[in-house]
Amino acid sequence: MWHLRGSSATAAALHKPVAHLRLLLAVSASSGPLLPAASTVAAVSTRGGPSPSAGVAARARASASAMPSSSSSPPFAEGTTAAAAAGGFRLTEPSFLESLMPKKEIGVDRFLAAHPEYDGRGALIAIFDSGVDPAVAGLQTTSDGKPKILDVIDCTGSGDVDTSKVVKADDDGSIVGASGTRLIINPSWKNPSQEWHVGCKLVYELFTNSLISRLKKERKKKWDEENQEAISEALKQLNEFEKKHSKPDDAKLKMAHEDLQNRLDYLRKQAEGYDDRGPVIDIVAWHDGDVWRVAVDTQGLEGNKNCGKLADFIPLTNYRLERKFGIFSKLDACSFVANIYNDGNLVSIVTDCSPHATHVAGIAAAFHPDEPLLNGVAPGAQLISCKIGDTRLGSMETGTGLVRALIAAVEHKCDLINMSYGEPTLLPDYGRFIDLASEAVDKHRIIFISSAGNNGPALNTVGAPGGTSSSIIGVGAYVSPAMAAGAHCVVQAPTEGMEYTWSSRGPAADGDLGVSISAPGGAVAPVPTWTLQSRMLMNGTSMASPSACGGVALLVSAMKAEGIPLSPYTVRKAIENTAALISDVPEEKLTTGHGLLQVDKAFEYAQQAKELPLVSYRISINQMGKSIPRLRGIYLRGSNACQQTSEWTVQLDPKFHEDASNMEQLVPFEECLQLHSTDSSVIKIPEYIMVTNNGRSFNIVVNPVNISSGLHYYEVYGIDCKAPWRGPIFRVPITVIKPIALSGAPPALTFSNLFFKSGHIERRFINVPIGASWAEVTMHASAFDTPRRFLLDTVQISPLKRPIHWGPAVTFSSPSLKNFSFPVEGGLTLELSIAQFWSSGIASHEPTCIDFEIVFHGISVDQKVIGFDGSEAPIRIVARSLLASEILVPVATLNKVKTPYRPVECNLCSLPTTRDRLPSGKQIIALTLTYKFKLEDGAEIKPHVPLLNNRIYDNKFESQYYRISDSNKCVYSSGDVYPNYVKLSKGEYTLQLYIRHDNMQSLEKLKQLVLFIERKLEKKEDGSLSLSLWVLKISKRNCVVIHLVTCIQCVYIQTDLFSEHCSLVQILCKLSLLVQVTCTALMYMLIELQDFIQLSFYSEPDGPIVGNGTFKSSVLVPGEPEAFYVGPPSTEKLLKNVLPGSVLVGSITYGAVRSFNKKDDQNQHAPASYSISYLIPPSKVDNDKEKGVSAVRKSISERLDEEVRDTKIKFLSGFNQETEDDKSSWMELVTSLKSEYPRYTPLLAKILECIVQKATSDDKISHQKEVIAAADEVVDSIDKEDLAKSLSLKPDPEDEEAQKNKKKMEETRDQLADALYQKGLALAEIESLKTDGSTEASAKDAFEENYKELIKWVDAKSTKYGSLTVLRERRYGRLGNALKVLNDMIQDSEQPKKKLYDLKIQLIEEIGWTHVSTYEKQWVHVRFPPSLPPF
């Protein structure tokens, strides 16, 4: 998402930005992605065009006349020009309403006045966005009464529900849904097959974060009321008990008191830890004989069983068939549609993932019959909604969503596509989506319009696909005086229109213009019903794109009505050649494109071009002497390129649509073109060329030697000799940036007394000296009254790399000085842009005075990337300063570990649905790779796929979606192009990676794709340690440390011995006096807790081993090298449980920022950092295993007998007992083994284990009696007195036999405890099965006697045996105690089993806490979903 800098709290409070959202959304004045219409707008953006840099202003007027254009300047809204010119811009109510949905700026008023019937009728627009809400006003019908939205599709799969499970109704007409809920079927629903497809989904997975946040607050309010009522009742019962039994001495009374207290504590903890994950909705699909139908049960949403019943739901079918939608509940007010795929086995529940798409659709085509001034640009146009923003990822687009959207647009025969999404790209005009989009334009004649981006004001900030793709029309964002005064509510409107500051600028990296045209970039338009408002103000190129798209829809409507051949080529030429110039400075084309769209002029052009060939010229440029890369423009950016003349070959190829006739269109095509350049003193070209279908090449000579420093823009264009009225038939954009060369030590650039008014931009282009690695900036603002906001932007361009962009938003509340630092690359031209937001200080008559200094520093090293090979050897580094004296202060840290994995399973399959069939007829193939990994401790991790990550548009594969789940199918994290960190607890996990393409061979090559699991390491905070955090961490250690923690807490509370943030040394010294633990021992404990590894530096090669020659810092003299060593991490610092072959990664810095005061909250280390890594070596060999071999060896015969015995025992567990014969054979074997090895406890324990695990027969009581008998045999085989005596003795740690005996005794104790545990469970089960109350008192006594025996040997409340304690407390009615033990078991388990949670719900329901039971049942669906969701 293109984020704006400098968010306002007001806007962010309403819609907080989501990580990695890449909607092309800018917020008016300084907010997060969305801004309420009622908000007062502060300045977020600045004037759209750059101020001419040195050398530009002098020739601006002279050059402007040479630039081809059909219009001179954009028109003001009627009745505003005079007022604006007088400095007193005023709005009437009608003009205010018009400003909320700007249309006059692009000539819509003039066009519709002349052609009222051409208001978009007959035009179909595909909205590639976050999903349009079909329920909102304005998007119901067109101006001629047709349905506005023809289809609503979730192209991402985020709303997919697996409905492959088929059930049949009971005699009472009910079915069991996928959630386990019993659902009543409406008897009026037709279902000839009587087969019902069922599925379920957590409803919050369909909602936006904003909606979820609102629902959570409202639902928690109701839950809190119920919980507080339960707390009051529990407290009342406790008080009554304490009043009745003031000093309970009896054990049972104490337990009863504890039970009441535990109930109260449980409810209070529930309130503290409440986390609403939302209710589960059941989805039912069936075929009614004609079409597939869907019904949804939403009873859990409102908490009212009379609302949301399945039987009351009005069934839906695919939206395109009946155009019906549903509403989940009155509480959420969220609409949805349903689409059924794959013969009912998959249902797509479509909701929007942001208000963005509905707003965009409203700008393009909203129709308000009662409020015509608020109509969209093309009220007669129809829409289809293609959701490309994935709700699972916030609203980030995915390759799957993009490709499916293109398939849908072609299938529906759309005329236009609007896409207000995008991001920076590695390569322009490259990638799978770009290829398919070009096919949609060239073959299927779809006009594709997209936003240019919101990363301005610097150049080279246009993003993909809008600003970097040849087949897509990129749109910049324009603000008019009327928009400023009305929609933005500024105190005083500017006197003329301008481009918003944040609107992205060209050129693209390959020299293409980047921005095609501009359109109004803000509006108050409809938003989804769940926002609880009808419309909202947003602005950005996201809004400019649908404004332009709506304008082009008017053009399409007119061309269709008048029989003019419709082609994206003709339309693009018409709108570009008739656009109104926003500025007469040639360089402003990089900001505004060819100008502001003018619909009426474009239609006149199209009418005149009716008989012309439908052709577009594609340009491919190479510099003489170079074969690659092939460019779309000429872009000279650097001092060397500007010091010599260069020659370029331009290949001009006519591009016809794929269905063009060879004989009628291609063969006769011939055009004689006269070539022009906008400055013949710099650009030399031939005068004429003749172009045929096979194309033509010509040369351009560029001589920038004598031009001044700064930005220069030129064009070479061709004019049809027979029809010069057509304007430029093709254009070759030529951008020349001649940077300033710096001198001095260190090199610096200073400019003083720069005066800024609202919207003013200053650009400077600097040749960054070779050897520079960071820059330090000082900015001083003065001479102003009201607060001022600025954008600082710097950009450097490096081949095959995204633009290196740094750009903070800066606010000056009063005259002051601010310091910044940022990394740079030496030898590359740096653009520095300083822009005052267009609405900052707009009502003030005082300009802002800026004094600015930028100083370059650098430390060059011989190894930019440092990689340790796992040995003990340090790495030698040679550092130099080429610019000035620098302080050398190396700092290296390893803060992450990356472990490589290969897939354990791979699956290739052709996707079954039509939504995955390309227009060419090819079916998309999916490759699913499964990886397994295990965490020995809780950690924050993220997956990393080096081949695919961080590229979406410039990637030849269309998907890289992944999800991480556990053995219970609970999904913890999912992602795509930009993986996110997720906190996971200790345990085993599965990661599935989903890659799509239509080429089987390409996917075959990825079957063994390497994936890394990247784990964050904890960082010690500046040598200090929060005492509370430290206590929390080490409290999980051994008894000594637990005693230590108790001492810490006591002393901390009772004395002032410890401050909250003591130094580590202070803590250790004080603690060593409290307990018998040395400082060294404590230090090792703390080292284990701190994973973050700091590396050391040495002046000697043996320093890491002998500890001598520590290197701290030095002063580098220009040109003089300084060498030192960086040592590998010591063995003690290496992480435990990290697999060999893993890599520790981090960063290393060398310099220090010197221009900042210590008071400044800035990092004192230089911002330039480099990669450093350490390969984890093989684990050390454990030689201790060979030591202490027992002197007493058993004979071969004895060892053989033991091996035979153990093998026979092991064989028992694998014995099949499915048939009666099998069971009989098993019993015979058991009898034989008992006879052969009488009273052998391991054998009897294995027999018990097999009996417990075998499938129970119909006679469950007999089975449990069999368990009891087997358990008794185990207990009877053990001499408990001897066992207790052996366990009480502490063996000599050096006596191997004693250690072995101890281990054997511990195993025997565990076998005894397991037998007692299983016996207790069996006794309890028998008691529960006897429903007639026939349980004898002796049986109850047996359970209690067995339990008391168990607690002699083990902690019966532990995770392993706690279930028996829970049953015991439950038998006595002490449900609070049972809950306490059960909760502790769940918390101590790595991945608790479902049966524990089911038992927990049973206990809660027995107590009568319905609200808690409902809450826990919702969490069961989160923790234990019936299946993994579809990709």
Side-chain angles (χ1 to χ4, degrees):
M1 174 180 179
W2 302 100
H3 288 294
L4 281 187
R5 290 149 288 184
S7 303
S8 74
T10 304
L14 181 65
H15 294 289
K16 186 178 179 181
V18 180
H20 295 307
L21 302 184
R22 294 190 310 289
L23 306 182
L24 294 179
L25 181 62
V27 181
S28 78
S30 77
S31 76
L34 303 179
L35 188 69
S39 297
T40 302
V41 177
V44 78
S45 34
T46 66
R47 177 168 238 166
S51 297
S53 54
V56 172
R59 62 186 181 81
R61 295 287 174 179
S63 301
S65 59
M67 301 297 289
S69 177
S70 299
S71 302
S72 59
S73 61
F76 281 115
E78 184 179 346
T80 62
T81 306
F89 192 96
R90 295 291 182 270
L91 291 170
T92 62
E93 182 181 354
S95 62
F96 168 72
L97 293 175
E98 286 177 339
S99 74
L100 302 182
M101 184 65 77
K103 296 183 281 288
K104 286 189 175 183
E105 288 80 353
I106 57 175
V108 173
D109 57 332
R110 299 190 301 272
F111 177 80
L112 291 180
H115 311 286
E117 300 297 316
Y118 301 164
D119 62 352
R121 299 174 197 186
L124 179 58
I125 306 172
I127 304 293
F128 287 14
D129 215 287
S130 59
V132 179
D133 184 356
V136 302
L139 297 180
Q140 300 306 305
T141 62
T142 64
S143 56
D144 55 348
K146 294 178 181 177
K148 174 62 71 175
I149 302 176
L150 298 185
D151 204 356
V152 178
I153 311 162
D154 180 1
C155 302
T156 67
S158 58
D160 286 359
V161 181
D162 180 1
T163 51
S164 58
K165 183 179 180 180
V166 178
V167 299
K168 295 208 172 188
D170 297 337
D171 294 337
D172 61 354
S174 65
I175 62 173
V176 177
S179 70
T181 305
R182 183 161 291 278
L183 308 170
I184 303 298
I185 298 295
N186 191 317
S188 66
W189 294 346
K190 250 176 67 177
N191 184 355
S193 70
Q194 290 303 306
E195 292 184 343
W196 307 91
H197 291 249
V198 295
C200 64
K201 195 170 186 68
L202 287 162
V203 75
Y204 281 5
E205 294 177 357
L206 299 169
F207 292 164
T208 67
N209 289 336
S210 300
L211 175 56
I212 292 171
S213 178
R214 174 167 68 81
L215 289 178
K216 281 186 173 181
K217 288 178 183 177
E218 295 180 17
R219 284 166 56 86
K220 187 175 188 301
K221 183 179 179 183
K222 182 178 179 181
W223 191 90
D224 282 342
E225 291 173 357
E226 294 176 343
N227 198 58
Q228 190 57 46
E229 186 177 338
I231 288 175
S232 299
E233 179 61 28
L235 184 60
K236 178 183 175 183
Q237 292 176 6
L238 179 62
N239 290 337
E240 289 176 352
F241 182 90
E242 290 176 342
K243 186 176 180 181
K244 186 176 180 180
H245 308 283
S246 57
K247 294 182 179 180
D249 296 327
D250 183 72
K252 290 185 177 180
L253 288 178
K254 288 182 178 180
M255 294 295 288
H257 181 270
E258 183 184 345
D259 177 66
L260 293 174
Q261 184 64 54
N262 281 332
R263 294 188 186 205
L264 181 61
D265 293 343
Y266 181 85
L267 289 170
R268 286 172 172 169
K269 287 181 180 178
Q270 282 290 103
E272 294 171 2
Y274 179 84
D275 181 12
D276 179 17
R277 296 297 294 265
V280 176
I281 59 171
D282 274 287
I283 292 95
V284 179
W286 70 97
H287 199 278
D288 68 1
D290 297 316
V291 296
W292 283 96
R293 298 279 177 188
V294 173
V296 181
D297 182 272
T298 60
Q299 291 183 64
L301 261 170
E302 293 186 277
N304 185 347
K305 292 186 177 180
N306 295 320
C307 297
K309 291 181 179 179
L310 181 76
D312 296 336
F313 189 86
I314 300 174
L316 301 174
T317 186
N318 286 14
Y319 185 85
R320 67 189 297 179
L321 300 179
E322 295 180 353
R323 291 183 291 279
K324 292 181 180 178
F325 58 85
I327 302 290
F328 287 108
S329 72
K330 294 179 181 177
L331 184 65
D332 55 79
C334 180
S335 66
F336 68 94
V337 306
N339 294 310
I340 305 99
Y341 301 100
N342 196 19
D343 295 327
N345 291 318
L346 188 72
V347 172
S348 174
I349 302 296
V350 190
T351 57
D352 65 84
C353 61
S354 163
H356 190 266
T358 304
H359 196 275
V360 164
I363 293 172
F367 173 60
H368 300 279
D370 299 327
E371 298 174 313
L373 293 178
L374 294 176
N375 281 348
V377 178
Q382 293 179 295
L383 307 172
I384 68 166
S385 168
C386 298
K387 178 182 173 183
I388 62 171
D390 196 310
T391 307
R392 297 168 294 190
L393 310 179
S395 62
M396 188 186 82
E397 73 270 42
T398 64
T400 298
L402 291 166
V403 172
R404 283 178 176 167
L406 281 173
I407 292 171
V410 172
E411 180 188 352
H412 284 77
K413 299 182 178 179
C414 293
D415 301 297
L416 303 103
I417 294 171
N418 181 84
M419 180 171 162
S420 293
Y421 264 69
E423 65 169 30
T425 183
L426 182 75
L427 285 171
D429 220 24
Y430 170 87
R432 176 159 171 78
F433 174 73
I434 305 303
D435 295 342
L436 294 174
S438 297
E439 180 183 313
V441 172
D442 297 333
K443 183 175 181 179
H444 302 284
R445 303 195 180 196
I446 299 176
I447 303 163
F448 201 142
I449 298 173
S450 183
S451 41
N454 299 335
N455 274 356
L459 305 180
N460 287 106
T461 50
V462 289
T468 62
S469 309
S470 297
S471 58
I472 298 176
I473 300 170
V475 186
Y478 169 85
V479 56
S480 68
M483 291 167 62
H488 291 284
C489 301
V490 298
V491 175
Q492 182 176 322
T495 57
E496 59 183 18
M498 66 185 80
E499 208 82 355
Y500 283 103
T501 313
W502 34 256
S503 187
S504 290
R505 271 70 171 171
D510 64 352
D512 188 62
L513 184 60
V515 182
S516 177
I517 56 171
S518 291
V524 176
V527 288
T529 54
W530 60 261
T531 63
L532 306 186
Q533 62 187 98
S534 59
R535 50 180 63 93
M536 182 185 291
L537 170 64
M538 301 185 203
N539 65 174
T541 54
S542 279
M543 284 64 247
S545 182
S547 178
C549 188
V552 175
L554 300 180
L555 190 59
V556 169
S557 178
M559 293 174 72
K560 283 187 173 183
E562 297 199 359
I564 301 173
L566 186 60
S567 164
Y569 307 154
T570 304
V571 169
R572 181 164 191 165
K573 196 60 61 185
I575 63 176
E576 289 182 348
N577 280 357
T578 60
L581 289 178
I582 297 172
S583 170
D584 55 4
V585 177
E587 287 67 23
E588 286 295 83
K589 271 205 166 185
L590 298 171
T591 293
T592 65
H594 298 289
L596 190 63
L597 173 66
Q598 299 296 297
V599 177
D600 54 335
K601 302 294 184 184
F603 180 52
E604 292 172 6
Y605 186 101
Q607 286 177 310
Q608 200 168 354
K610 181 177 182 178
E611 303 299 331
L612 294 175
L614 304 181
V615 64
S616 171
Y617 283 100
R618 300 295 165 89
I619 296 171
S620 179
I621 304 172
N622 283 100
Q623 187 172 3
M624 295 290 285
K626 294 183 180 181
S627 58
I628 56 173
R630 302 190 70 82
L631 310 171
R632 295 177 297 155
I634 298 174
Y635 190 11
L636 303 181
R637 184 185 172 106
S639 55
N640 291 336
C642 294
Q643 291 173 3
Q644 57 188 354
T645 300
S646 58
E647 188 170 359
W648 306 76
T649 299
V650 179
Q651 178 64 37
L652 199 62
D653 292 311
K655 176 67 177 178
F656 289 84
H657 290 293
E658 292 190 14
D659 58 355
S661 167
N662 287 341
M663 296 303 296
E664 296 179 7
Q665 292 173 279
L666 304 189
V667 173
F669 177 77
E670 186 176 273
E671 288 189 336
C672 179
L673 303 179
Q674 183 179 14
L675 301 184
H676 298 261
S677 75
T678 55
D679 191 333
S680 58
S681 65
V682 178
I683 310 297
K684 305 294 184 184
I685 53 173
E687 294 186 14
Y688 293 91
I689 58 170
M690 178 68 75
V691 183
T692 63
N693 174 56
N694 290 325
R696 185 74 170 88
S697 64
F698 65 92
N699 287 358
I700 296 177
V701 176
V702 181
N703 181 10
V705 175
N706 296 322
I707 64 174
S708 58
S709 298
L711 170 65
H712 305 262
Y713 178 78
Y714 312 96
E715 278 185 358
V716 169
Y717 57 95
I719 299 293
D720 187 348
C721 295
K722 296 180 180 178
W725 60 265
R726 294 172 64 188
I729 304 303
F730 72 89
R731 293 180 172 90
V732 178
I734 302 171
T735 306
V736 180
I737 292 176
K738 195 168 189 178
I740 302 169
L742 302 181
S743 59
L749 175 65
T750 303
F751 38 98
S752 305
N753 297 325
L754 290 178
F755 289 95
F756 286 80
K757 297 287 264 183
S758 300
H760 183 63
I761 300 175
E762 286 284 344
R763 302 184 192 275
R764 295 294 184 270
F765 299 93
I766 304 165
N767 183 22
V768 177
I770 293 176
S773 52
W774 79 91
E776 298 176 15
V777 167
T778 303
M779 183 177 180
H780 181 258
S782 60
F784 60 90
D785 44 12
T786 57
R788 302 298 158 90
R789 304 188 55 147
F790 285 84
L791 273 184
L792 296 184
D793 253 8
T794 67
V795 171
Q796 287 184 287
I797 304 298
S798 183
L800 295 179
K801 188 176 182 179
R802 289 184 176 184
I804 306 167
H805 189 195
W806 175 82
V810 185
T811 300
F812 290 95
S813 300
S814 60
S816 58
L817 180 145
K818 293 183 182 292
N819 294 312
F820 308 92
S821 65
F822 56 93
V824 297
E825 287 195 19
L828 299 179
T829 297
L830 173 80
E831 176 191 355
L832 169 65
S833 295
I834 309 172
Q836 183 170 323
F837 284 9
W838 69 273
S839 56
S840 176
I842 200 166
S844 173
H845 298 288
E846 294 185 15
T848 313
C849 180
I850 295 294
D851 298 321
F852 199 93
E853 182 183 46
I854 180 169
V855 182
F856 291 94
H857 298 268
I859 294 176
S860 299
V861 291
D862 60 337
Q863 299 188 58
K864 284 195 172 182
V865 177
I866 296 176
F868 288 97
D869 57 11
S871 70
E872 291 74 17
I875 293 178
R876 177 176 175 268
I877 299 173
V878 179
R880 292 180 175 84
S881 173
L882 304 181
L883 305 178
S885 295
E886 297 288 355
I887 300 175
L888 175 63
V889 191
V891 177
T893 53
L894 300 171
N895 56 5
K896 297 173 186 174
V897 59
K898 295 169 64 174
T899 303
Y901 293 88
R902 288 204 185 265
V904 297
E905 181 184 335
C906 61
N907 180 38
L908 269 172
C909 68
S910 179
L911 297 172
T913 62
T914 54
R915 62 178 177 171
D916 294 312
R917 184 178 297 122
L918 294 170
S920 63
K922 288 185 178 181
Q923 198 74 26
I924 294 173
I925 302 166
L927 171 65
T928 304
L929 301 175
T930 302
Y931 302 81
K932 301 280 188 180
F933 66 96
K934 183 177 181 180
L935 296 179
E936 297 294 342
D937 294 296
E940 195 171 357
I941 66 105
K942 77 171 181 180
H944 176 54
V945 187
L947 176 68
L948 302 175
N949 286 166
N950 303 320
R951 294 184 294 128
I952 181 168
Y953 295 103
D954 45 356
N955 197 323
K956 288 296 184 178
F957 293 90
E958 69 185 57
S959 173
Q960 47 187 291
Y961 184 82
Y962 72 87
R963 66 181 175 210
I964 299 173
S965 60
D966 63 13
S967 58
N968 296 320
K969 303 183 181 66
C970 176
V971 177
Y972 291 87
S973 177
S974 60
D976 200 271
V977 177
Y978 301 101
N980 293 315
Y981 279 101
V982 59
K983 289 184 178 180
L984 297 178
S985 57
K986 178 181 178 181
E988 296 181 357
Y989 296 91
T990 299
L991 185 147
Q992 289 182 300
L993 180 63
Y994 183 72
I995 306 171
R996 294 160 45 106
H997 205 280
D998 63 345
N999 187 297
M1000 175 76 80
Q1001 287 72 30
S1002 296
L1003 293 174
E1004 287 277 359
K1005 296 176 181 178
L1006 302 184
K1007 280 188 171 182
Q1008 291 299 315
L1009 183 68
V1010 173
L1011 173 144
F1012 287 88
I1013 296 296
E1014 183 178 292
R1015 170 186 157 189
K1016 279 186 179 180
L1017 306 184
E1018 295 181 8
K1019 180 179 180 181
K1020 189 187 300 181
E1021 299 179 0
D1022 302 325
S1024 298
L1025 191 64
S1026 167
L1027 180 62
S1028 57
L1029 177 63
W1030 189 68
V1031 168
L1032 178 64
K1033 287 186 175 182
I1034 67 173
S1035 63
K1036 297 181 180 179
R1037 297 289 179 170
N1038 55 35
C1039 296
V1040 174
V1041 181
I1042 291 173
H1043 172 60
L1044 173 61
V1045 171
T1046 305
C1047 294
I1048 297 172
Q1049 291 171 330
C1050 291
V1051 175
Y1052 180 66
I1053 294 170
Q1054 296 173 8
T1055 72
D1056 193 27
L1057 183 60
F1058 297 99
S1059 62
E1060 177 61 21
H1061 284 272
C1062 304
S1063 73
L1064 193 57
V1065 176
Q1066 289 173 324
I1067 290 177
L1068 296 178
C1069 292
K1070 293 174 182 179
L1071 292 182
S1072 64
L1073 300 176
L1074 293 172
V1075 291
Q1076 295 178 349
V1077 180
T1078 65
C1079 283
T1080 304
L1082 289 172
M1083 178 63 81
Y1084 277 111
M1085 291 177 190
L1086 291 178
I1087 287 174
E1088 289 183 17
L1089 297 173
Q1090 297 297 331
D1091 293 337
F1092 195 89
I1093 299 174
Q1094 197 92 19
L1095 300 183
S1096 300
F1097 297 87
Y1098 304 91
S1099 57
E1100 301 174 1
D1102 298 316
I1105 304 299
V1106 300
N1108 295 336
T1110 301
F1111 182 89
K1112 295 293 185 183
S1113 63
S1114 180
V1115 175
L1116 291 177
V1117 178
E1120 293 294 326
E1122 176 107 27
F1124 56 94
Y1125 294 90
V1126 57
S1130 62
T1131 306
E1132 294 78 13
K1133 289 184 178 180
L1134 292 181
L1135 304 176
K1136 296 180 179 178
N1137 303 316
V1138 176
L1139 297 176
S1142 300
V1143 182
L1144 291 167
V1145 295
S1147 62
I1148 181 169
T1149 62
Y1150 299 99
V1153 175
R1154 293 192 290 179
S1155 63
F1156 299 164
N1157 296 323
K1158 292 183 179 180
K1159 294 181 180 179
D1160 290 335
D1161 186 19
Q1162 294 282 346
N1163 184 1
Q1164 295 301 306
H1165 296 296
S1169 63
Y1170 305 92
S1171 175
I1172 186 169
S1173 63
Y1174 175 83
L1175 180 68
I1176 300 293
S1179 302
K1180 66 177 182 178
V1181 178
D1182 189 0
N1183 294 321
D1184 294 338
K1185 292 182 179 180
E1186 301 300 324
K1187 297 179 181 179
V1189 179
S1190 175
V1192 181
R1193 287 184 174 272
K1194 294 181 180 180
S1195 67
I1196 294 177
S1197 176
E1198 289 175 325
R1199 288 158 56 193
L1200 179 60
D1201 289 343
E1202 289 180 357
E1203 289 291 334
V1204 171
R1205 178 196 63 197
D1206 294 342
T1207 302
K1208 289 180 179 180
I1209 294 173
K1210 186 178 179 181
F1211 179 73
L1212 275 177
S1213 59
F1215 201 103
N1216 192 351
Q1217 299 186 59
E1218 292 182 0
T1219 66
E1220 290 299 324
D1221 290 342
D1222 290 338
K1223 292 178 182 178
S1224 177
S1225 300
W1226 187 81
M1227 285 303 300
E1228 290 177 6
L1229 177 61
V1230 167
T1231 303
S1232 171
L1233 291 175
K1234 283 183 180 180
S1235 174
E1236 188 176 357
Y1237 308 108
R1239 295 177 62 84
Y1240 184 58
T1241 303
L1243 168 63
L1244 298 174
K1246 177 60 72 174
I1247 293 171
L1248 172 61
E1249 179 187 328
C1250 294
I1251 293 173
V1252 170
Q1253 291 179 350
K1254 77 176 182 179
T1256 58
S1257 60
D1258 294 334
D1259 190 355
K1260 294 184 178 180
I1261 292 180
S1262 296
H1263 174 73
Q1264 296 302 332
K1265 287 182 177 179
E1266 191 179 353
V1267 171
I1268 292 171
D1272 284 340
E1273 287 192 76
V1274 175
V1275 174
D1276 293 342
S1277 70
I1278 299 171
D1279 185 341
K1280 292 188 277 293
E1281 290 185 8
D1282 182 59
L1283 176 63
K1285 182 179 178 181
S1286 298
L1287 291 174
S1288 65
L1289 299 176
K1290 292 186 178 180
D1292 183 352
E1294 296 183 2
D1295 186 341
E1296 185 183 1
E1297 284 300 317
Q1299 291 292 338
K1300 284 184 178 181
N1301 186 59
K1302 179 186 177 183
K1303 184 178 180 182
K1304 182 180 179 181
M1305 290 298 102
E1306 288 174 345
E1307 290 174 355
T1308 303
R1309 179 201 58 198
D1310 292 343
Q1311 290 163 350
L1312 172 62
D1314 287 343
L1316 294 169
Y1317 173 69
Q1318 294 298 340
K1319 180 179 178 180
L1321 292 179
L1323 288 168
E1325 180 69 11
I1326 291 173
E1327 184 179 333
S1328 67
L1329 290 172
K1330 291 183 177 181
T1331 56
D1332 57 357
S1334 61
T1335 304
E1336 299 176 0
S1338 59
K1340 294 183 179 179
D1341 293 341
F1343 177 89
E1344 189 65 21
E1345 182 181 341
N1346 181 81
Y1347 181 81
K1348 288 180 179 178
E1349 183 66 26
L1350 175 65
I1351 62 177
K1352 292 178 183 179
W1353 302 99
V1354 291
D1355 178 8
K1357 294 182 180 180
S1358 66
T1359 304
K1360 189 172 183 179
Y1361 306 108
S1363 294
L1364 195 60
T1365 303
V1366 173
L1367 289 176
R1368 178 174 181 262
E1369 294 300 312
R1370 189 180 186 183
R1371 290 172 79 248
Y1372 286 109
R1374 298 192 291 256
L1375 302 179
N1377 290 349
L1379 264 180
K1380 172 72 168 58
V1381 174
L1382 187 57
N1383 251 2
D1384 291 342
M1385 290 173 59
I1386 290 172
Q1387 290 176 6
D1388 293 340
S1389 300
E1390 290 180 14
Q1391 292 179 350
K1393 296 180 179 179
K1394 184 174 182 292
K1395 66 179 182 180
L1396 295 181
Y1397 290 99
D1398 291 338
L1399 179 57
K1400 183 178 180 180
I1401 292 170
Q1402 291 174 23
L1403 294 174
I1404 291 169
E1405 289 178 341
E1406 288 178 27
I1407 295 174
W1409 296 334
T1410 307
H1411 68 292
V1412 180
S1413 172
T1414 302
Y1415 171 77
E1416 290 294 341
K1417 286 178 180 178
Q1418 292 171 5
W1419 264 99
V1420 166
H1421 286 286
V1422 176
R1423 297 184 180 105
F1424 307 98
S1427 62
L1428 286 169
F1431 282 105

